[in-house]
Amino acid sequence: MNEEEFRTKVLTHKDKCYRLALRILNDNEEAKDTLQEVFLRLWTNREKIAKHANIQAFAMLTTKNLCFDKLRSSKKFFKDYEFDNLVDNNLIDKLTEQYDTIEKVKKIIDSLPLQQKMVIHLCDIEGFSIDETANQLDMQNLNVRVALSRARKRVKEILKKEYDYERY
């Protein structure tokens, strides 16, 4: 794989890899450093990645693994999620209510086990399919479905219990 092919086939995924690193590490500078390391590794192994059918999944998997390595070594946990698409800018009351709900959901997601955090992030926030998530996390589809189901169920249970959302 030459430099031009690397730019068109691999570097086009840098934004998604950066968002994933930022979600996991919750630190802008750390995410940028990790992204540089990811693409340095990918460049070094460019002949191997040219053989992969899904280069994006390989890049995301490399990003995830490096981030987890950093978390293990520094004992950090990611905490912040962006829910840009949930905001309705028309009414201030509705915006305030949605902001409160988003904050509650953020706290609940933060309390989930790491694998469930990753799966719910990729599927529900990034919009990846089950198959894409399974490829990126190097998991079986069934395991992704189970983790996603458990994560969603746990979020719903906590919302109902702690925040009295059962009134609907």
Side-chain angles (χ1 to χ4, degrees):
M1 179 180 288
N2 63 30
E3 185 178 341
E4 187 60 33
E5 287 177 310
F6 186 81
R7 283 186 181 156
T8 58
K9 293 181 180 179
V10 179
L11 286 181
T12 56
H13 307 298
K14 70 178 175 9
D15 291 337
K16 285 186 178 184
C17 291
Y18 171 74
R19 285 194 306 270
L20 179 62
L22 187 59
R23 295 276 186 242
I24 295 171
L25 300 171
N26 196 31
D27 183 308
N28 190 33
E29 294 304 314
E30 194 75 26
K32 288 179 183 178
D33 290 345
T34 302
L35 195 64
Q36 285 182 341
E37 192 173 336
V38 165
F39 285 104
L40 179 62
R41 284 187 184 186
L42 293 174
W43 174 253
T44 304
N45 297 309
R46 64 188 175 274
E47 296 308 319
K48 291 178 186 175
I49 62 172
K51 298 173 186 173
H52 284 277
N54 190 340
I55 293 175
Q56 177 185 349
F58 187 77
M60 295 290 280
L61 183 62
T62 304
T63 303
K64 177 201 76 150
N65 290 339
L66 279 173
C67 289
F68 283 175
D69 289 345
K70 287 188 182 236
L71 282 176
R72 281 186 209 104
S73 66
S74 67
K75 308 246 188 225
K76 287 184 181 179
F77 297 97
F78 61 101
K79 295 187 186 236
D80 203 18
Y81 290 86
E82 302 260 343
F83 294 87
D84 297 332
N85 296 329
L86 296 179
V87 179
D88 179 7
N89 293 321
N90 294 333
L91 301 169
I92 303 254
D93 292 338
K94 195 170 187 177
L95 196 143
T96 304
E97 182 180 326
Q98 287 179 345
Y99 178 78
D100 291 343
T101 302
I102 289 169
E103 290 303 309
K104 291 172 186 176
V105 172
K106 283 181 186 180
K107 288 177 183 175
I108 294 168
I109 290 175
D110 285 342
S111 71
L112 296 174
L114 189 57
Q115 185 181 52
Q116 290 179 10
K117 286 181 193 181
M118 294 301 305
V119 169
I120 203 167
H121 168 74
L122 289 174
C123 290
D124 291 347
I125 297 171
E126 289 289 333
F128 287 108
S129 70
I130 299 293
D131 291 336
E132 292 169 327
T133 301
N135 284 337
Q136 291 178 16
L137 296 179
D138 195 28
M139 295 171 62
Q140 293 180 358
N141 286 7
L142 180 60
N143 294 346
V144 171
R145 290 178 193 277
V146 169
L148 183 59
S149 175
R150 287 179 181 166
R152 288 174 176 167
K153 183 179 179 182
R154 186 71 182 138
V155 169
K156 184 178 177 181
E157 286 172 353
I158 294 172
L159 278 174
K160 283 181 176 181
K161 182 179 177 183
E162 292 186 23
Y163 301 107
D164 195 29
Y165 275 76
E166 287 186 285
R167 56 193 154 139
Y168 297 112

